[in-house]
Amino acid sequence: MSYKAKFKIWRGDDQTGELHDYLIEVNEGEVVLDIIHRLQATHAPDLAVRWNCKAGKCGSCSAEINGRPKLLCMTRMSTFTEDEVITVTPLRAFPVIRDLVTDVSFNYKKAREIPSFTPPPGLGPGEYRMKQVDVERSQEFRKCIECFLCQDTCHVIRDHEENKESFAGPRFLMRIAELEMHPLDSADRVREAQDEHGLGYCNITKCCTEVCPEGIKITDNALIPMKERVADRKYDPIVWLGSKLFKR
Ligand code: SF4
Ligand code: F3S
Ligand code: FES
């Protein structure tokens, strides 16, 4: 069964823009990205949208649908009523390049600021041994598709451009937590998270967890355990030294 859906789509560039109204055909089983593609094929061939896999795996098609951070390719049209007006806008936390495409380079900058896995001196590749339980503990975090929806929704930077310098955002604090959980990592990740990447700004609102399309429990399984380690350190610096010495 086909019907025509009312869309409001943000069109513009880094200087100016506005919502444009479109009436677009919808067919059974389609997702919002299908409608955007039909719009390009019919009314708006110059509409800019970033996408790649159309399977929820590349993390490219992130945008906001009715003000909520979503993947365009994983949002089914059947979740809206036929008379609902569907508003599609670019990610709010990042600068617009054009239409629905934003400049997400903030995230790549933050990724580069986190030192990679740091094994103990003298231990070479091939000599790493870790318990299955430690592998499983951080496995969840590796499902991240880097869609940056969690980064977009976190209020610390969503409404506060000035915090971007000192806050890495949930995706990258989760990366630091993953490294901290690695029994062979020898860097001081707790200090890194707190002093250089703004863990203290996070007040556990859990909005990041709510929007994660991979269902990663960012707050409960990464951010809160990191905060607990910060608290342990504050009261007892020996705890950190001991954990590094004895967990291997
Ligand atoms: Fe996207 Fe989830 Fe990764 Fe954040 S943690 S970038 S929401 S997949
Ligand atoms: Fe932001 Fe997630 Fe913390 S939304 S405030 S990083 S729990
Ligand atoms: Fe790849 Fe949507 S197009 S996640």
Side-chain angles (χ1 to χ4, degrees), residues 153-156 167 170 201-208 219 223:
T153 206
C154 179
H155 68 95
V156 176
F167 185 66
Y201 283 81
C202 165
N203 53 354
I204 322 183
T205 57
K206 300 198 183 187
C207 311
C208 50
T219 321
L223 306 183

Side-chain angles (χ1 to χ4, degrees), residues 33 51-61 71 73 145:
L33 187 59
W51 69 284
N52 206 315
C53 69
K54 202 171 174 279
K57 285 296 157 219
C58 72
S60 306
C61 67
L71 294 180
C73 74
I145 58 170

Side-chain angles (χ1 to χ4, degrees), residues 43-107:
H43 305 62
D46 61 338
L47 172 71
V49 59
R50 189 187 279 132
W51 69 284
N52 206 315
C53 69
K54 202 171 174 279
K57 285 296 157 219
C58 72
S60 306
C61 67
S62 302
E64 300 197 2
I65 301 175
N66 294 344
R68 303 254 322 153
K70 294 269 190 193
L71 294 180
L72 296 175
C73 74
M74 295 303 282
T75 307
R76 294 196 166 275
M77 285 303 296
S78 58
T79 56
F80 307 103
T81 58
E82 293 190 7
D83 57 356
E84 196 170 344
V85 179
I86 302 164
T87 304
V88 187
T89 46
L91 296 176
R92 190 168 109 191
F94 308 118
V96 169
I97 298 176
R98 194 159 68 85
D99 301 336
L100 301 178
V101 177
T102 47
D103 176 357
V104 293
S105 52
F106 161 79
N107 299 288

